[in-house]
mmCIF file of all heavy atoms in Angstrom:
data_model
loop_
_atom_site.group_PDB
_atom_site.id
_atom_site.type_symbol
_atom_site.label_atom_id
_atom_site.label_comp_id
_atom_site.label_asym_id
_atom_site.label_seq_id
_atom_site.Cartn_x
_atom_site.Cartn_y
_atom_site.Cartn_z
ATOM 1 N N LEU A 211 -8.277 144.243 -53.211
ATOM 2 C CA LEU A 211 -7.301 144.432 -52.153
ATOM 3 C C LEU A 211 -6.769 145.891 -52.143
ATOM 4 O O LEU A 211 -6.512 146.478 -51.074
ATOM 5 C CB LEU A 211 -6.108 143.485 -52.402
ATOM 6 C CG LEU A 211 -5.091 143.386 -51.282
ATOM 7 C CD1 LEU A 211 -5.727 142.994 -49.962
ATOM 8 C CD2 LEU A 211 -3.991 142.389 -51.653
ATOM 9 N N GLU A 212 -6.618 146.470 -53.337
ATOM 10 C CA GLU A 212 -6.167 147.858 -53.366
ATOM 11 C C GLU A 212 -7.243 148.803 -52.755
ATOM 12 O O GLU A 212 -6.884 149.799 -52.077
ATOM 13 C CB GLU A 212 -5.887 148.282 -54.800
ATOM 14 C CG GLU A 212 -5.367 149.733 -54.955
ATOM 15 C CD GLU A 212 -4.197 150.036 -54.039
ATOM 16 O OE1 GLU A 212 -3.283 149.216 -53.868
ATOM 17 O OE2 GLU A 212 -4.235 151.180 -53.475
ATOM 18 N N SER A 213 -8.501 148.539 -52.926
ATOM 19 C CA SER A 213 -9.555 149.348 -52.279
ATOM 20 C C SER A 213 -9.499 149.285 -50.792
ATOM 21 O O SER A 213 -9.673 150.282 -50.092
ATOM 22 C CB SER A 213 -10.965 148.919 -52.773
ATOM 23 O OG SER A 213 -11.083 149.045 -54.178
ATOM 24 N N ILE A 214 -9.233 148.029 -50.277
ATOM 25 C CA ILE A 214 -9.098 147.898 -48.853
ATOM 26 C C ILE A 214 -7.920 148.619 -48.304
ATOM 27 O O ILE A 214 -8.017 149.356 -47.320
ATOM 28 C CB ILE A 214 -9.046 146.380 -48.503
ATOM 29 C CG1 ILE A 214 -10.412 145.700 -48.793
ATOM 30 C CG2 ILE A 214 -8.704 146.202 -46.992
ATOM 31 C CD1 ILE A 214 -10.334 144.214 -48.696
ATOM 32 N N ARG A 215 -6.789 148.512 -49.010
ATOM 33 C CA ARG A 215 -5.557 149.216 -48.591
ATOM 34 C C ARG A 215 -5.718 150.681 -48.624
ATOM 35 O O ARG A 215 -5.197 151.417 -47.763
ATOM 36 C CB ARG A 215 -4.388 148.736 -49.434
ATOM 37 C CG ARG A 215 -3.947 147.320 -49.126
ATOM 38 C CD ARG A 215 -2.919 146.787 -50.112
ATOM 39 N NE ARG A 215 -2.408 145.531 -49.710
ATOM 40 C CZ ARG A 215 -1.681 144.696 -50.494
ATOM 41 N NH1 ARG A 215 -1.377 145.059 -51.744
ATOM 42 N NH2 ARG A 215 -1.204 143.539 -50.078
ATOM 43 N N SER A 216 -6.410 151.196 -49.635
ATOM 44 C CA SER A 216 -6.630 152.614 -49.741
ATOM 45 C C SER A 216 -7.461 153.143 -48.565
ATOM 46 O O SER A 216 -7.213 154.178 -47.991
ATOM 47 C CB SER A 216 -7.317 152.965 -51.088
ATOM 48 O OG SER A 216 -7.678 154.275 -51.145
ATOM 49 N N LEU A 217 -8.494 152.372 -48.198
ATOM 50 C CA LEU A 217 -9.305 152.720 -47.057
ATOM 51 C C LEU A 217 -8.493 152.757 -45.737
ATOM 52 O O LEU A 217 -8.620 153.635 -44.875
ATOM 53 C CB LEU A 217 -10.494 151.752 -46.926
ATOM 54 C CG LEU A 217 -11.431 151.990 -45.764
ATOM 55 C CD1 LEU A 217 -12.100 153.371 -45.838
ATOM 56 C CD2 LEU A 217 -12.544 150.911 -45.702
ATOM 57 N N ILE A 218 -7.641 151.737 -45.585
ATOM 58 C CA ILE A 218 -6.797 151.622 -44.393
ATOM 59 C C ILE A 218 -5.877 152.896 -44.356
ATOM 60 O O ILE A 218 -5.717 153.484 -43.252
ATOM 61 C CB ILE A 218 -5.936 150.334 -44.475
ATOM 62 C CG1 ILE A 218 -6.799 149.130 -44.285
ATOM 63 C CG2 ILE A 218 -4.848 150.404 -43.385
ATOM 64 C CD1 ILE A 218 -7.409 148.936 -42.926
ATOM 65 N N ARG A 219 -5.354 153.297 -45.460
ATOM 66 C CA ARG A 219 -4.437 154.458 -45.503
ATOM 67 C C ARG A 219 -5.193 155.749 -45.042
ATOM 68 O O ARG A 219 -4.708 156.557 -44.257
ATOM 69 C CB ARG A 219 -3.889 154.700 -46.851
ATOM 70 C CG ARG A 219 -2.793 153.668 -47.214
ATOM 71 C CD ARG A 219 -2.038 154.115 -48.438
ATOM 72 N NE ARG A 219 -2.857 154.129 -49.652
ATOM 73 C CZ ARG A 219 -2.956 153.090 -50.532
ATOM 74 N NH1 ARG A 219 -2.316 151.924 -50.257
ATOM 75 N NH2 ARG A 219 -3.709 153.209 -51.585
ATOM 76 N N ARG A 220 -6.423 155.830 -45.469
ATOM 77 C CA ARG A 220 -7.246 157.026 -45.062
ATOM 78 C C ARG A 220 -7.538 157.065 -43.586
ATOM 79 O O ARG A 220 -7.440 158.094 -42.934
ATOM 80 C CB ARG A 220 -8.534 157.061 -45.895
ATOM 81 C CG ARG A 220 -8.373 157.193 -47.392
ATOM 82 C CD ARG A 220 -9.600 157.812 -48.060
ATOM 83 N NE ARG A 220 -10.853 157.130 -47.731
ATOM 84 C CZ ARG A 220 -11.295 156.064 -48.423
ATOM 85 N NH1 ARG A 220 -10.626 155.614 -49.475
ATOM 86 N NH2 ARG A 220 -12.454 155.510 -48.087
ATOM 87 N N VAL A 221 -7.925 155.858 -43.099
ATOM 88 C CA VAL A 221 -8.225 155.773 -41.611
ATOM 89 C C VAL A 221 -6.988 155.969 -40.757
ATOM 90 O O VAL A 221 -7.059 156.570 -39.692
ATOM 91 C CB VAL A 221 -8.909 154.419 -41.345
ATOM 92 C CG1 VAL A 221 -9.041 154.210 -39.822
ATOM 93 C CG2 VAL A 221 -10.333 154.351 -41.993
ATOM 94 N N ARG A 222 -5.879 155.529 -41.207
ATOM 95 C CA ARG A 222 -4.631 155.814 -40.516
ATOM 96 C C ARG A 222 -4.360 157.265 -40.345
ATOM 97 O O ARG A 222 -3.850 157.711 -39.310
ATOM 98 C CB ARG A 222 -3.428 155.053 -41.201
ATOM 99 C CG ARG A 222 -3.232 153.588 -40.809
ATOM 100 C CD ARG A 222 -2.055 153.026 -41.460
ATOM 101 N NE ARG A 222 -1.736 151.738 -40.933
ATOM 102 C CZ ARG A 222 -1.325 150.701 -41.676
ATOM 103 N NH1 ARG A 222 -1.237 150.809 -42.998
ATOM 104 N NH2 ARG A 222 -1.071 149.515 -41.097
#
Side-chain angles (χ1 to χ4, degrees):
L211 189 56
E212 180 52 40
S213 296
I214 293 172
R215 287 172 174 166
S216 176
L217 179 61
I218 293 290
R219 288 194 293 269
R220 297 203 308 270
V221 170
R222 275 184 169 139

